[in-house]
Amino acid sequence: MARGRWRRRAALGLLGVASGLALLLYYYYAHTRLGLEQARERLQQRLQRTLPGLRIGRLVSWSIGGQVVLANVSVREPGGRAELHVEQVQLDLEPRSLWSDTIRIDRLQIRAPRVYVARDPAGLVRSSQRAGRSSGVAVGALEITDGAIELATARGIIAARRVTGRASFGAERVSAQLENAEWEGLTPGAPVKLRGTAAGPYDRIAVALSLDGAGGATGALDGYFARDGSYELSARTNGIPLQALGAQQPGRVQGIAQVRGRDRRAEVTLDLSGSSIADMAVEAAHASARFDGARWQLMSADLGAPGLALRAAGSGDGLTIALDIDGTIDERSALAHRLSELAGLRDLRARSRVHARVAGRLPGPLEMRGSLQASQLAFAGLLVAPADATFEVGGWPRATHGHAHLEARGPRWGGIATPVDSIALDLAMPGDASFRLRGTGTGARGRAALVAHGVAS
């Protein structure tokens, strides 16, 4: 009997000693500078298995229940093109999971994160890390407040401010909500506001996104992403400025885009009828393309506008393009008007078929080479028909330069036949159009060779 009581007392004593040691360890790691530093190093080393570029500036506090507060947390992508800085992180973790294969975080709160993403030499935002499920960290719930994202583009910095969202990750389902993100730098004036949701089982997550911009511009996207890598998205736009999509020309986009694919491969169809590019109203615009990573192939694209009907096909890599274009054009088109201004031709009237090859890097400069067969070509009172022309243009659209060569037969001046059988015309762009006029004529005294040089202002 006495022996049993002694054993119980010994057990209670050992338990008290163990509890005391545990409390001393907790006090050491939670309330001393050296202990907090050692705990910070242990947590950082453990998390770096999943995020190699992670750095924890300071461990502010942690409780025996696993509530941890971190300050000045940063993650740098190995390629150096992306950086994340967080002012404060609060997380509720299971302390025992620090010594297991997977760290379990019941709740993760991120305050004032700042993300910076740079462009790579190819001009696209890319990551050197492959996306995929991480087996190192399991998060139950995520909350982000007062976040910011900065993207370096060819036109400068595009930034999202006041980013707020939350997400929960269950054993079988995920639910996420982007409550607010205000993008600045996409368009002049007011910021573009984004809101979105993602929800569903991990096998197939449904997504939805809405956009509200200045001047009544709106956009919406919905679709899904599946675990097997497949996805399908549908986007609708109304009045989205072209500049928000990276173009330098003014204009607005409206229409529907469909994207369907798996992993890095996708098929895209577009219907942008009713859009505008600069001062050209687009009556019909349809396109279909295939993507394999950054490489793409334009199967077909049709564009219809006043005085213009074009069909294009080609391929490219990222923003580098090579397109073949065929179609018809007349003086009503904004393109013909612009080319006549560049060439110094006034009162241009034309009906012609055109073939061109366009190559370069978006949004420019681009090079264009091609030929034109005109059934009617008239300017400054001179009518030449039929006419054949070749042209080469570079530096489009900002610093356009180039030259064109035209050959025509049977010119008429002011509606009256001339004695000239044929002419050749050379034009240089921009500014004044220098020309050389060559021809042969038939008169009462026989044939004569005609040569003229000049500059047309």
Side-chain angles (χ1 to χ4, degrees):
M1 192 71 160
R3 182 176 296 179
R5 285 196 300 269
W6 180 84
R7 288 178 178 174
R8 285 194 297 270
R9 291 174 181 174
L12 291 174
L14 290 173
L15 179 60
V17 171
S19 299
L21 289 174
L23 289 173
L24 286 174
L25 287 173
Y26 166 70
Y27 183 84
Y28 172 76
Y29 282 111
H31 296 283
T32 67
R33 182 177 300 178
L34 181 59
L36 286 171
E37 176 61 20
Q38 291 178 346
R40 181 199 66 81
E41 291 182 358
R42 169 60 185 167
L43 182 61
Q44 177 176 278
Q45 292 174 0
R46 181 62 187 82
L47 290 173
Q48 283 178 342
R49 298 181 190 176
T50 302
L51 297 172
L54 172 72
R55 295 292 184 271
I56 299 175
R58 185 164 63 95
L59 195 159
V60 178
S61 65
W62 71 277
S63 70
I64 198 169
Q67 289 77 37
V68 180
V69 179
L70 308 175
N72 301 325
V73 179
S74 65
V75 180
R76 183 179 178 86
E77 193 223 13
R81 292 189 293 270
E83 295 181 13
L84 165 66
H85 299 278
V86 183
E87 181 179 302
Q88 181 174 294
V89 176
Q90 298 182 27
L91 50 93
D92 299 341
L93 61 79
E94 297 180 13
R96 292 177 300 177
S97 67
L98 289 174
W99 286 267
S100 65
D101 293 335
T102 301
I103 296 179
R104 300 191 178 278
I105 300 175
D106 296 328
R107 183 181 181 85
L108 177 61
Q109 296 175 287
I110 301 177
R111 185 163 67 87
R114 299 293 183 264
V115 179
Y116 176 80
V117 181
R119 299 167 75 245
D120 72 355
L124 302 175
V125 175
R126 293 176 175 171
S127 172
S128 63
Q129 294 181 326
R130 292 184 176 272
R133 292 178 56 194
S134 170
S135 60
V137 178
V139 178
L142 170 67
E143 182 177 330
I144 298 175
T145 57
D146 191 27
I149 303 172
E150 291 188 356
L151 303 178
T153 71
R155 296 185 294 123
I157 298 295
I158 298 176
R161 310 294 185 190
R162 292 172 286 278
V163 179
T164 302
R166 63 186 67 247
S168 62
F169 306 91
E172 299 180 355
R173 298 180 62 86
V174 62
S175 176
Q177 182 174 5
L178 175 64
E179 298 172 349
N180 186 69
E182 300 180 9
W183 285 92
E184 301 171 352
L186 287 175
T187 58
V192 176
K193 295 184 179 181
L194 296 179
R195 295 178 179 84
T197 60
Y202 290 105
D203 288 341
R204 185 184 173 105
I205 300 175
V207 297
L209 182 71
S210 64
L211 176 152
D212 293 293
T218 60
L221 180 146
D222 58 80
Y224 73 85
F225 292 90
R227 190 193 294 270
D228 63 3
S230 63
Y231 51 88
E232 185 172 334
L233 300 171
S234 176
R236 297 172 178 81
T237 65
N238 182 21
I240 302 297
L242 273 176
Q243 294 173 338
L245 304 177
Q248 296 178 348
Q249 295 78 23
R252 291 187 174 272
V253 176
Q254 73 176 43
I256 300 174
Q258 304 280 347
V259 182
R260 179 180 301 172
R262 184 168 184 171
D263 298 326
R264 294 169 57 87
R265 296 183 177 181
E267 295 183 357
V268 180
T269 59
L270 297 173
D271 182 353
L272 302 180
S273 304
S275 303
S276 64
I277 304 174
D279 55 354
M280 180 177 69
V282 178
E283 297 175 341
H286 307 276
S288 62
R290 294 176 180 172
F291 290 80
D292 187 352
R295 299 187 62 83
W296 53 268
Q297 182 179 6
L298 180 64
M299 310 304 294
S300 66
D302 297 287
L303 175 65
L308 183 67
L310 298 178
R311 169 162 288 188
S315 61
D317 189 344
L319 299 178
T320 302
I321 69 169
L323 299 177
D324 287 300
I325 302 173
D326 293 278
T328 59
I329 184 172
D330 64 38
E331 70 274 5
R332 295 175 300 159
S333 73
L335 179 60
H337 180 69
R338 176 60 175 158
L339 291 176
S340 66
E341 287 183 340
L342 291 171
L345 300 178
R346 298 179 179 177
D347 303 322
L348 176 69
R349 300 195 313 276
R351 286 196 300 271
S352 60
R353 297 191 61 82
V354 63
H355 168 75
R357 182 168 181 82
V358 181
R361 182 177 181 78
L362 294 174
L366 299 178
E367 295 182 354
M368 292 181 281
R369 296 183 179 186
S371 60
L372 178 146
Q373 297 82 41
S375 59
Q376 174 183 325
L377 182 62
F379 55 94
L382 179 65
L383 172 66
V384 288
D388 296 318
T390 59
F391 58 88
E392 292 187 12
V393 177
W396 191 83
R398 287 187 174 270
T400 305
H401 60 274
H403 59 86
H405 175 74
L406 171 71
E407 294 186 358
R409 298 173 297 279
R412 301 174 67 86
W413 188 275
I416 301 174
T418 69
V420 177
D421 296 327
S422 62
I423 61 173
L425 183 65
D426 293 297
L427 303 174
M429 298 180 287
D432 294 341
S434 63
F435 67 90
R436 293 183 297 113
L437 185 64
R438 302 191 304 270
T440 59
T442 302
R445 297 183 179 182
R447 299 178 62 83
L450 306 175
V451 178
H453 303 271
V455 176
S457 299

